[in-house]
Amino acid sequence: MPPNIPKDPLSGHPGHLSPEQQHILSKFRTELEEDSVFVPERHDDATLLRFLRARKFDLAKAKFMITSCEEWRKDFGVDQLIETFQFPEKNEVDKIYPQYYHKTDKDGRPIYVERLGQLDLRKLYTFTTAERLLKRFVLEYEKFLTERLPACSTVVGHRVETSCTILDLQNVGIAQFYQVKDHIAQATRIGQDRYPECMGKFYIINAPWIFSTVWMVIKPWLDEVTVNKISILGYNYKDTLLQQIPAENLPADLGGLCQCPGGCSLSDAGPWNEKNQGVIAQTASDAVVPA
């Protein structure tokens, strides 16, 4: 490519395919159909392209990845989970292990917050189980793809395909991390292998001095593309977050202005919620970023 022609930041995304990428996409779909792996209601072009981008448009590797994903969905019972799973212990879990979607960032991405500082695993498992936490995690990923992203895309007027994640490590010690590391490892593998290319921005905040030890454990779980999207921040994270997230969309206890009645972690505020459809990001109209 000539040096005076900038690379398309959305290359490999719908509407931004080179002739070669378009050919690989068509061949990918055909081969999946021939092998009875293709699921029309789920495998639209945007989904197939997520798997192709995750494997740098290597057709064989992308095919192996999506085939493995379909086998996992059957083994895990994802379709049944969507239809039947309930999580009545949500309020109790929230007091110890808050994990929630809340409004959107300046590029229209849904914001996902996870806070480990209050986690007491022994207490947590008095009213839920590791298996149920993982099922809830998968269900939230499904809702992220089928409800949250489409709603965000409609509001901002362009396709939104990824999240803006905040992982809060305030008050997290080594012992606390090792209590939950198996769950985090399972969740990380599911996110990377079964729901690829869904991470847009990832901020680790309040990272304590011992985080270098924790990072040595976490980093091998992640692929190179994921690692490059992660910003590790200490305690002075507020300005960095506010560059990406409108103050009115960021919870007050994370440095923003939002104070949802009943708490942001239980509000499910955002354009995907009928009660909060007016809650949207203040997007920069001249920004062109991979969504």
Side-chain angles (χ1 to χ4, degrees):
M1 179 178 292
N4 61 329
I5 301 179
K7 181 180 178 181
D8 183 356
L10 293 176
S11 175
H13 291 254
H16 296 262
L17 302 182
S18 68
E20 181 182 7
Q21 289 171 335
Q22 184 64 60
H23 172 73
I24 293 172
L25 173 61
S26 299
K27 188 171 175 55
F28 190 30
R29 186 189 307 106
T30 298
E31 290 192 9
L32 293 177
E33 290 172 342
E34 291 173 348
D35 292 346
S36 300
V37 176
F38 186 75
V39 182
E41 58 268 27
R42 282 193 287 102
H43 292 162
D44 59 4
D45 284 357
T47 298
L48 297 183
L49 286 169
R50 284 197 294 107
F51 283 88
L52 285 170
R53 290 198 306 275
R55 293 297 177 261
K56 299 180 180 179
F57 278 80
D58 184 310
L59 183 58
K61 291 181 179 179
K63 185 177 176 181
F64 178 81
M65 186 184 195
I66 200 169
T67 300
S68 298
C69 179
E70 288 304 310
E71 292 172 354
W72 167 80
R73 289 181 68 92
K74 291 176 183 176
D75 293 341
F76 200 87
V78 176
D79 292 340
Q80 292 81 5
L81 198 70
I82 295 169
E83 295 294 329
T84 63
F85 186 72
Q86 301 292 325
F87 198 70
E89 64 266 43
K90 177 179 179 179
N91 287 12
E92 292 301 318
V93 170
D94 182 72
K95 295 174 184 177
I96 299 173
Y97 190 12
Q99 301 166 279
Y100 60 97
Y101 284 91
H102 181 267
K103 301 188 179 180
T104 51
D105 72 0
K106 292 181 179 180
D107 297 314
R109 300 181 180 96
I111 301 166
Y112 175 73
V113 179
E114 185 165 330
R115 313 187 76 166
L116 293 177
Q118 305 170 54
L119 182 59
D120 180 333
L121 207 59
R122 185 174 300 177
K123 185 176 180 181
L124 182 67
Y125 287 163
T126 62
F127 44 79
T128 193
T129 65
E131 180 184 10
R132 287 184 59 75
L133 285 175
L134 207 59
K135 287 182 176 180
R136 181 200 182 194
F137 177 78
V138 170
L139 182 61
E140 287 298 323
Y141 246 123
E142 290 293 317
K143 292 170 65 176
F144 168 77
L145 290 173
T146 62
E147 298 176 19
R148 292 189 170 95
L149 291 183
C152 291
S153 299
T154 297
V155 166
V156 299
H158 62 76
R159 184 184 291 273
V160 178
E161 297 186 86
T162 58
S163 64
C164 175
T165 295
I166 301 170
L167 176 61
D168 185 6
L169 298 182
Q170 186 173 21
N171 300 323
V172 174
I174 287 288
Q176 194 170 26
F177 169 74
Y178 275 96
Q179 284 183 19
V180 75
K181 77 177 182 66
D182 289 342
H183 171 74
I184 294 178
Q186 283 184 293
T188 299
R189 284 194 294 269
I190 287 174
Q192 284 193 149
D193 298 342
R194 315 310 180 189
Y195 301 95
E197 292 291 302
C198 287
M199 180 191 295
K201 297 285 186 178
F202 194 116
Y203 300 99
I204 298 177
I205 65 171
N206 288 314
W209 65 270
I210 56 97
F211 184 70
S212 58
T213 302
V214 173
W215 184 239
M216 288 175 63
V217 176
I218 296 176
K219 193 174 180 179
W221 303 341
L222 308 172
D223 60 36
E224 181 182 353
V225 174
T226 300
V227 169
N228 291 336
K229 292 181 179 179
I230 296 175
S231 299
I232 301 174
L233 309 175
Y235 300 103
N236 297 317
Y237 59 83
K238 180 178 175 180
D239 289 346
T240 300
L241 290 189
L242 290 176
Q243 289 176 13
Q244 184 64 33
I245 301 170
E248 62 271 24
N249 287 5
L250 184 66
D253 55 3
L254 291 175
L257 300 175
C258 188
Q259 300 185 60
C260 294
C264 292
S265 62
L266 293 173
S267 69
D268 197 29
W272 53 83
N273 188 327
E274 289 185 3
K275 296 180 181 179
N276 296 282
Q277 285 183 344
V279 181
I280 62 173
Q282 293 182 349
T283 56
S285 58
D286 57 345
V288 179
V289 296

